[in-house]
């Protein structure tokens, strides 16, 4: 495996407040290559053992990059999991998977990695592309997501508020850089509501953690945000957040950055540009004076 690319910028705060290295999980969607074939291709370069959950979900266990899942991104075709696939049962789920496979992306879910190892995923994408995997950001029925699940520095209100403010300031430019076609914009998570943005960017907004969660949930009771904080708030406040959520959300202590798009079928494509955009968000969050001025300009 080739060395990590030097074009991946480091996080400005590489450790949590407890002193643990911050890790990042990655989800990458592609088309054309079957789940089984993708798992076998990854095994050839990463080692490990291929395990089958169902005909449309495989796991590469104990590879050089840890555990990696490869599955059809549709809950209805996985009968061993809680959700619609369970009540459909294996025969119907398998039939539905065969029918939908030409139209639904596959998703590769990589175990959390140190940011300095993200470049190794570029090599993984090259392997899949050479085996026939494709994707150019979006298909007619969906976007092809590149999601980063980043371990936060801390989960106190001031830390999360600064990060959220930095993201809200930069979201318009991020969307302009990433969503370069009408189809991509159509499938993308909608931006944060303007009234919520104004409130969060106000210099008078100084919530505690409970209020930050309550305000976020009231304005964003959906995972369809480009920076999705529902997994984190569900982890922190399960009894309060769980009944209010629309759609499938897993409690995780991560920042779910889901605006970027995957271009697995594009020769030379790298995760670096989108990772570096996220790093820019954290750099702004770590500069209080610059952040305050950016919030003032954005809310003017």
């Amino acid at each position: 495996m080739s060395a990590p690319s030097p074009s991946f910028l480091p996080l400005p705060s590489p450790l949590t407040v407890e002193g643990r290295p911050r890790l990042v999980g990655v989800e990458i969607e592609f088309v054309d290559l079957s789940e089984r074939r993708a798992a076998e291709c990854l095994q050839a370069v990463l080692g490990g053992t291929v395990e089958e959950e169902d005909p449309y979900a495989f796991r590469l266990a104990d590879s050089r990059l840890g555990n990696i899942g490869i599955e059809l991104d549709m809950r209805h075709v996985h009968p061993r999991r809680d959700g619609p696939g369970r009540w459909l049962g294996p025969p119907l789920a398998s039939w539905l998977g065969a029918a939908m496979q030409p139209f639904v992306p596959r998703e590769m879910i990589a175990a959390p990695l140190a940011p300095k190892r993200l470049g190794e995923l570029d090599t993984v994408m090259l392997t899949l592309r050479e085996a026939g995997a494709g994707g150019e950001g979006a298909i007619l029925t969906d976007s092809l997501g590149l999601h980063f699940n980043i371990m936060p520095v801390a989960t106190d209100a001031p830390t999360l508020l600064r990060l959220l403010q930095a993201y809200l300031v930069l979201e318009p430019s991020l969307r302009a850089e990433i969503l370069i076609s009408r189809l991509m914009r159509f499938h993308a998570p909608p931006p944060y509501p303007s009234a919520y943005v104004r409130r969060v960017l106000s210099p008078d907004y100084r919530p505690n953690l409970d209020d930050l969660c309550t305000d976020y949930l009231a304005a964003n009771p959906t995972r369809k945000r480009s920076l999705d904080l529902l997994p984190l708030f569900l982890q922190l406040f399960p009894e309060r957040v769980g009944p209010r959520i629309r759609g499938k959300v897993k409690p995780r202590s991560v920042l779910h950055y889901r605006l970027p798009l995957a271009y697995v079928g594009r020769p030379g494509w790298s995760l670096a540009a989108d990772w570096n955009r996220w790093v820019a968000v954290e750099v702004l969050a770590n500069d209080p004076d610059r952040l305050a001025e950016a919030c003032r300009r954005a809310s003017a």
Side-chain angles (χ1 to χ4, degrees), residues 4-14 22-24 113-119 122 148 150 177 270-284 290:
S5 168
S7 60
F8 286 80
L9 297 176
L11 291 168
S13 299
R22 296 175 64 199
L23 305 178
V24 54
L113 298 169
K116 66 182 180 181
R117 299 193 67 187
L118 287 174
D122 285 350
F148 294 107
I150 307 118
E177 291 175 16
S270 171
L271 282 64
D274 285 299
W275 172 252
N276 293 344
R277 291 184 182 107
W278 173 258
V279 172
V281 173
E282 294 209 12
V283 168
L284 178 58
R290 180 171 161 239

Side-chain angles (χ1 to χ4, degrees), residues 47-59:
T49 303
V50 174
E51 301 172 350
E52 179 177 343
E53 177 187 331
D54 61 57
Y56 304 101
F58 293 81
R59 179 173 178 259

Side-chain angles (χ1 to χ4, degrees), residues 40-277:
E40 292 170 347
C41 289
L42 296 187
Q43 182 187 38
V45 295
L46 297 174
T49 303
V50 174
E51 301 172 350
E52 179 177 343
E53 177 187 331
D54 61 57
Y56 304 101
F58 293 81
R59 179 173 178 259
L60 181 61
D62 302 320
S63 81
R64 287 196 292 276
L65 287 179
N67 297 331
I68 300 174
I70 304 100
E71 62 187 51
L72 194 66
D73 191 22
M74 185 177 185
R75 299 172 65 201
H76 299 72
V77 305
H78 305 301
R80 296 186 181 180
R81 305 179 186 178
D82 290 336
R86 185 177 292 276
W87 56 258
L88 281 178
L92 279 177
S94 182
W95 175 86
L96 182 62
M100 297 305 296
Q101 200 172 36
F103 311 104
V104 177
R106 291 69 160 140
E107 183 176 42
M108 189 196 83
I109 305 115
L113 298 169
K116 66 182 180 181
R117 299 193 67 187
L118 287 174
E120 297 180 50
L121 290 178
D122 285 350
T123 303
V124 169
M125 293 303 101
L126 174 61
T127 298
L128 294 181
R129 182 165 58 252
E130 290 177 341
E136 284 284 337
I139 55 178
L140 185 61
T141 57
D142 206 351
S143 61
L144 298 174
L146 165 62
H147 299 176
F148 294 107
N149 295 295
I150 307 118
M151 182 186 298
V153 172
T155 57
D156 61 281
T159 300
L160 293 179
L161 177 60
R162 287 194 301 272
L163 188 73
L164 181 58
Q165 288 175 329
Y167 187 81
L168 293 178
V169 164
L170 294 176
E171 184 181 28
S173 62
L174 292 172
R175 296 178 77 88
E177 291 175 16
I178 294 169
L179 306 177
I180 57 175
S181 75
R182 184 176 299 178
L183 185 62
M184 292 172 183
R185 292 189 290 273
F186 176 78
H187 289 306
Y192 281 96
S194 56
Y196 178 73
V197 173
R198 288 193 298 271
R199 181 173 190 184
V200 173
L201 297 186
S202 168
D204 299 325
Y205 187 63
R206 298 186 182 91
N208 59 32
L209 190 58
D210 283 359
D211 290 339
L212 186 65
C213 174
T214 298
D215 293 343
Y216 182 92
L217 192 60
N220 309 283
T222 172
R223 65 188 184 127
K224 293 184 178 181
R225 292 290 181 263
S226 56
L227 175 59
D228 172 21
L229 297 184
L230 284 184
L232 176 59
F233 285 133
L234 184 58
Q235 177 78 22
L236 295 172
F237 304 104
E239 294 183 359
R240 183 194 313 174
V241 175
R244 298 283 305 280
I245 291 177
R246 299 195 299 265
K248 179 192 68 172
V249 179
K250 296 179 181 178
R252 295 178 292 176
S253 187
V254 298
L255 307 162
H256 187 196
Y257 177 41
R258 57 191 305 265
L259 182 63
L261 299 172
Y263 294 82
V264 175
R266 179 176 294 179
W269 177 65
S270 171
L271 282 64
D274 285 299
W275 172 252
N276 293 344
R277 291 184 182 107

